[in-house]
């Protein structure tokens, strides 16, 4: 038996519906004459209103009805879509979200203010109240005054109510169109002993007298047409829709609409589309994120147990045990890969959130801003996506407030009036690089240095490289804004960005060209759970290097080691590759092995060799977080449990290379 809370399911589906409405509104901002977008937004509002009423969210249904009415007028051509209307419905959409999340809370007069804004956007100051129809031309008014009588017969599939369709909601919407006479046909109800309480066996025969035309009736059934049987006939009078006008005859024949099948249609002909629809619905299954996290923990434990089994099998002469061990290793690897795919989501789900942010900030600042997204299909672990949302908000707001100039300043400097903010994502080895780029004024180095010196972050005149100077903007409380605004000026945000990225074992790079713009790149690991690693030994300790960063392995003889003392370079296919001696970096106090190995890794921007004593082999690595005592040890990104129960540290190659270069620079200065 399912334990899912129906209200929780509604909230999830409502959130998806609101996201679709928001996306449609933002697209409509750039294409106000696009009827398809208007129809899409209308359908989303219609769905949200109907679902809300079905699940008891009456305040949501009543409020959404006004927005739906506004877009219905746009859809019928009574009013034009404007940027003011889009802005009003976007603001109303935020209130709808609040009504979904907190239906019983006191929202004050927010709803009334938003409806007044919506009314002004649709009809101006002289417009009638939002719930009343607006004045139309005399011809349209005369046509609307004609009463049309319709006979509507419909039946729904037996599993309709189990799938969330409430026939009473459809009848209520028909009643809203005009005077109704409803007759229920109960002839198909089976005997009591064969009756399933979740199945629907009733059909309805409705006589409707309304000023509305045929399209209004179609809208009532717009979301259930694929699975139902529907017949709409004009009883007498002239339908408002020109296509429905027929020659008058003594016995008027019912108007037949091709897209609907009459109730008398053979049921077998309707089963195929219904089966296809149900098959499509079964292709996707909604799973709570907590269950995925729990499953990942179990897979991690399985990988550790499999590593232990492999170690025991390698020390045994039992052929059967080795065979079973290899089979378990293969299956656990496939299970791990499948689990990783389940946790991966495209960054498009993250980037889509910023369209609304940029739209609102453009209206607030008076700047003309274009948002460009690239690499939206790049996939990242869902946990990474969740943690990156807030840091990216700070970075985008900073680009707009500090980076982009006003339209007048841009035109004066020879640029286009519209500034561009580009969000891009790409995969590089075992990490994903997310960049926020703008074509604004760039970072003012003099102001950064002056602010850092006045704040005591650096000493006056202290020499700093360009990279070190730009990294100062991530210091807590640092801000170069001249005044505090709604966007920035309080010195909070960028330090949070750095802490969050470092907690994800990532790094931040900044490139800025005065007058041409800035680019902030976040280098984040693809996953935080399980990785393929290369297990190596340095002295008596064992370490794991992420296999995605490894390019190749070489042997370093004692003669080459001695010959490279003082320069730390190795010749690799006519190119010089710098290398670090991990034995010296970790201060193991041991003598080097006779046959040392060099593991050549790529950090995304350069290639570096790591000298180790022994390469043990590949290892499926379950990443365990470090204790709080090791928060400041950036050289290691985590730890893992080996097959014999011992612990091996996982190297963070980016921080490791930076630390090694800094140590060698200090040694050269000391020498």
């Amino acid at each position: 038996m399912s334990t899912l809370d129906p209200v929780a399911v509604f909230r999830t589906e409502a959130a998806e519906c609101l996201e679709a409405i928001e996306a449609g509104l933002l697209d409509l901002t750039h294409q106000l004459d696009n009827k398809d977008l208007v129809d899409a937004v209308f359908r989303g509002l219609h769905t949200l209103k109907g679902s809300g009423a079905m699940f008891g969210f009456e305040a949501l249904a009543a409020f959404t009805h006004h927005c739906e009415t506004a877009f219905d007028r746009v859809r019928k051509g009574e009013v034009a879509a404007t940027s003011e209307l889009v802005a009003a419905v976007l603001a109303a959409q935020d209130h709808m979200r609040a009504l979904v999340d907190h239906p019983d809370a006191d929202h004050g007069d927010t709803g009334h203010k938003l409806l007044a804004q919506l009314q002004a956007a649709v009809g101006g100051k002289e417009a009638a109240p939002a719930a009343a129809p607006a004045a139309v031309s005399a011809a349209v008014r005369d046509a609307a005054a004609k009463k049309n009588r319709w006979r509507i017969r419909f039946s729904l599939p037996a599993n309709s109510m189990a799938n969330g369709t409430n026939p009473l909601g459809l009848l209520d919407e028909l009643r809203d169109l005009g005077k109704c006479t409803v007759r229920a046909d109960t002839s198909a109800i089976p005997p009591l002993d064969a009756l399933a309480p979740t199945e629907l066996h009733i059909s309805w025969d409705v006589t409707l007298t309304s000023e509305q035309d045929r399209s209004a009736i179609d809208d009532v059934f717009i979301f259930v047409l694929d699975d139902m049987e529907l017949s709409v006939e004009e009883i007498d009078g002239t339908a408002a829709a020109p296509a429905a006008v027929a020659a008058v005859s003594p016995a008027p024949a019912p108007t037949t609409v091709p897209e609907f099948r009459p109730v008398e249609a053979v049921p077998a002909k309707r089963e195929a589309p219904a089966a296809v629809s149900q098959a499509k619905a079964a292709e996707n299954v909604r799973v709570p994120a907590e269950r995925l996290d729990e499953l990942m923990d179990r897979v991690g434990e399985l990988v550790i147990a499999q590593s232990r089994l492999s170690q025991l099998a390698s020390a045994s002469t039992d052929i059967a045990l080795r065979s079973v061990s290899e089979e378990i290793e293969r299956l656990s690897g496939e299970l791990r890969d499948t689990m990783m795919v389940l946790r991966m989501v495209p960054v498009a789900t993250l980037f889509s959130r910023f369209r609304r942010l940029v739209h609102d900030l453009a209206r607030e600042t008076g700047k003309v801003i274009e948002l460009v997204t690239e690499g939206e299909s790049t996939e990242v672990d869902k946990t990474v996506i969740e943690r990156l949302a807030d840091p990216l908000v700070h970075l985008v707001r900073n680009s707009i407030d500090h980076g982009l100039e006003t339209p007048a300043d841009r035109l004066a400097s020879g640029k286009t009036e519209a500034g561009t903010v580009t969000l891009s994502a790409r995969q590089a080895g075992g990490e994903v690089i997310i960049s926020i780029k703008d074509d604004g004024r760039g970072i003012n180095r003099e102001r950064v240095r002056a602010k850092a010196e006045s704040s005591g972050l650096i000493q006056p005149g202290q020499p700093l490289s360009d990279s070190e100077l730009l990294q100062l903007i991530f210091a807590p409380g640092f801000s170069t804004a001249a005044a505090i605004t709604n966007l920035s000026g309080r010195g909070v945000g960028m330090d949070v960005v750095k802490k969050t990225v470092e907690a994800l074992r990532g790094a931040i790079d900044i490139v800025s060209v005065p007058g041409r713009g800035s680019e902030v790149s976040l280098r984040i690991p693809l996953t935080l759970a399980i990785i393929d690693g290369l297990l190596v030994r340095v002295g008596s300790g064992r370490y794991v290097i992420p296999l995605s960063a490894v390019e190749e392995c070489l042997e370093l003889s004692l003669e080459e080691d001695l010959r490279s003392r003082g320069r730390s370079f190795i010749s690799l296919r006519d190119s010089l590759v710098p290398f670090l001696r991990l034995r010296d970096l970790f201060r193991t106090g041991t003598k080097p092995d006779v046959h040392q190995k060099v593991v050549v890794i790529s950090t995304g921007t350069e290639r570096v060799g790591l000298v180790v004593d022994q390469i043990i082999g590949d290892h499926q690595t379950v990443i365990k977080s470090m204790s709080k005592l090791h928060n400041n040890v950036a050289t290691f990104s985590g730890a893992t449990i080996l097959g014999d129960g011992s612990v091996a540290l996982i190297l963070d190659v980016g921080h490791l290379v930076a630390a090694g270069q800094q140590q060698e620079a200090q040694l050269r200065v000391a020498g």
Side-chain angles (χ1 to χ4, degrees), residues 617-637:
D618 65 318
H619 184 268
Q620 289 190 24
T621 305
V622 180
I623 301 174
K624 301 293 184 181
S625 59
M626 306 277 281
S627 69
K628 294 182 179 180
L629 296 175
H630 301 89
N631 283 342
N632 296 326
V633 184
T635 306
F636 307 108
S637 59

Side-chain angles (χ1 to χ4, degrees), residues 226-229 261-262 264-276:
D226 291 339
D227 299 330
M228 70 179 301
E229 295 176 356
R261 293 184 181 271
E264 293 80 3
V266 181
K269 295 183 179 180
R270 297 287 300 175
E271 290 177 1
V276 172

Side-chain angles (χ1 to χ4, degrees), residues 27 61 135 152 201 274 315 400-401 407 414 500 527 565 575 633:
D27 288 336
I152 306 164
H201 300 283
I400 293 174
D401 190 39
T500 303
T527 179
R565 289 287 177 178
S575 64
V633 184

Side-chain angles (χ1 to χ4, degrees), residues 483-505:
I484 294 177
T485 67
N486 290 336
L487 294 186
S488 60
R490 292 180 171 83
V492 296
M494 297 301 281
D495 59 323
V496 176
V497 172
K498 186 174 183 180
K499 290 179 181 178
T500 303
V501 172
E502 289 181 346
L504 292 171
R505 306 195 317 272

Side-chain angles (χ1 to χ4, degrees), residues 295-308:
L295 181 58
M296 175 55 75
D297 292 339
R298 298 294 180 270
V299 172
E301 294 175 5
L302 176 62
V303 169
I304 293 174
Q306 176 269 320
S307 178
R308 174 63 174 163

